[in-house]
């Protein structure tokens, strides 16, 4: 909700959107009288939104603030898309109470898959809304694990952190990294707290690991951001890598996680060695997952 919302901004948006629509596309009967301006008439918008013409006129003229109850029918009447609806609520200074459309959130876009491959020797992962490992590039598989060998149902970053001995051992600051991972899961869970798969994951890990149980109860949250991770890899030894994560702009709940090292540093050289090893061992190559849509 935007406390600085202004009725003039809202009225301008309503007028502009009204002018972009036609009676035909809104399912209204054609009028016999010619239109002086393109777009819908005010009375037509009022009819479509089931509100009075007087109220809509005052709303469009900026003489009254929009009530929360009128925004949803207005959005339908003006045929607003998802972004436009969000903008409407922001301009009106009202909380958006519309029920959210549930999305699978587990399909990685082809453009992101291409990006993973093009990052080359830079390890990169796509994590889903429960921190499922949805996609990875060969460098990430060489650094972390043989992801294709892990069943899709178990290919989860949090689960690996707490239940896979090799994955756990490579984190030199395991307690710090694992606690942050729990906080990231808690943050992701806020978007869909009723998710049965999330409940199953949290239940299993709470039973299996006392640290997870304690850290989950802390209610600590952590969004996308940046930090430093230290690893001990069985092939190239110790690495210190910058870890950056970005939330997907499409509302899927996915995150892109990328690990880099300062050029010329021992860790940078180690990543190059891993990339070379991956190139020499085709079996270690990894691509996006098979579209698991749990």
């Amino acid at each position: 909700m935007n406390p600085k919302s202004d009725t003039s901004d809202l009225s301008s948006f309503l007028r502009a959107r009204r002018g972009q629509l036609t009676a035909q596309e809104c399912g209204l009967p054609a009028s016999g009288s010619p239109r002086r301006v393109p777009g819908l008439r005010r009375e037509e918008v009022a009819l479509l939104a089931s509100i009075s013409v007087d109220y809509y006129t005052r709303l469009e003229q900026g003489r009254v603030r929009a009530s929360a109850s009128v925004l949803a029918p207005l959005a339908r009447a003006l045929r607003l898309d998802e972004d436009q609806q969000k903008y409407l609520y922001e301009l009106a200074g009202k909380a958006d109470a519309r029920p959210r459309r549930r999305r699978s959130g587990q399909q990685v876009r082809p453009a992101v898959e291409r990006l993973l491959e093009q990052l080359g020797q830079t390890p990169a992962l796509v994590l889903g809304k429960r921190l499922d490992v949805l996609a990875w590039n060969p460098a990430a598989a060489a650094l972390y694990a043989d992801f294709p060998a892990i069943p899709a149902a178990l290919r989860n970053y949090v689960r690996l952190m707490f239940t896979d001995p090799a994955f756990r051992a490579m984190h030199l600051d395991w307690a710090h990294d694992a606690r942050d991972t729990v906080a990231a899961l808690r943050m992701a869970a806020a978007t869909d707290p009723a998710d049965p798969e999330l409940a199953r994951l949290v239940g299993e890990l709470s039973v299996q690991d006392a640290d997870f149980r304690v850290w989950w109860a802390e209610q600590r949250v952590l969004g996308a951001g940046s930090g430093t991770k230290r690893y001990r890899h069985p092939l190239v030894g110790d690495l210190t890598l910058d870890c950056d994560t970005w939330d997907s702009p499409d509302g899927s709940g996915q995150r892109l996680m990328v690990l880099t090292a300062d050029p010329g540093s021992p860790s940078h050289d180690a990543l190059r060695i891993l990339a070379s090893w991956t190139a020499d061992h085709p079996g270690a190559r990894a691509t996006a997952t098979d579209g698991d849509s749990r």
Side-chain angles (χ1 to χ4, degrees), residues 86-291:
K86 181 178 179 181
Y87 184 60
L88 175 69
Y89 278 83
E90 288 286 337
L91 290 179
K94 305 295 183 182
D96 187 351
R98 292 175 297 134
R100 294 298 175 189
R101 182 177 52 190
R102 294 181 64 90
R103 304 179 183 181
S104 67
Q106 302 295 288
Q107 295 293 334
V108 179
R109 292 185 294 119
V112 177
E113 294 181 4
R114 291 194 298 270
L115 175 61
L116 292 181
E117 290 296 328
Q118 292 169 10
L119 284 172
Q121 67 185 38
T122 302
L125 300 167
V126 175
L127 303 175
K129 60 184 179 180
R130 295 178 295 270
L131 302 192
D132 298 310
V133 180
L134 302 182
W136 57 89
N137 65 358
L143 175 65
Y144 280 118
D146 183 7
F147 289 124
I150 302 173
L154 303 179
R155 203 183 294 145
N156 177 277
Y157 194 90
V158 190
R159 187 188 297 277
L160 292 171
M161 183 70 82
F162 284 91
T163 65
D164 186 286
F167 197 91
R168 178 172 180 150
M170 71 174 291
H171 288 78
L172 291 177
D173 304 310
W174 179 83
H176 174 274
D177 293 346
R179 185 167 177 259
D180 277 357
T181 301
V182 174
L185 180 64
R186 170 72 74 176
M187 185 74 175
T191 62
D192 192 5
D195 179 9
E197 292 294 333
L198 171 67
R200 185 175 297 111
L201 174 65
V202 171
E204 290 177 4
L205 293 181
S206 295
V207 170
Q208 295 177 25
D209 194 281
D211 287 325
F212 179 90
R213 187 163 59 250
V214 170
W215 292 332
W216 182 258
E218 287 179 342
Q219 297 283 332
R220 181 169 169 262
V221 295
L222 184 66
S226 60
T228 301
K229 292 187 180 292
R230 300 191 307 131
Y231 301 109
R232 177 159 292 161
H233 194 275
L235 287 178
V236 297
D238 292 359
L239 303 94
T240 300
L241 303 177
D242 292 321
C243 179
D244 292 271
T245 57
W246 292 271
D247 287 328
S248 174
D250 62 3
S252 64
Q254 295 177 9
R255 293 180 177 183
L256 174 65
M257 175 176 167
V258 180
L259 297 122
T260 58
D262 289 332
S265 67
S267 296
H268 186 261
D269 293 339
L271 288 181
R272 293 179 62 185
I273 293 172
L274 274 179
S276 175
W277 178 84
T278 303
D280 293 338
H281 296 76
R285 292 182 177 274
T287 59
T289 64
D290 54 5

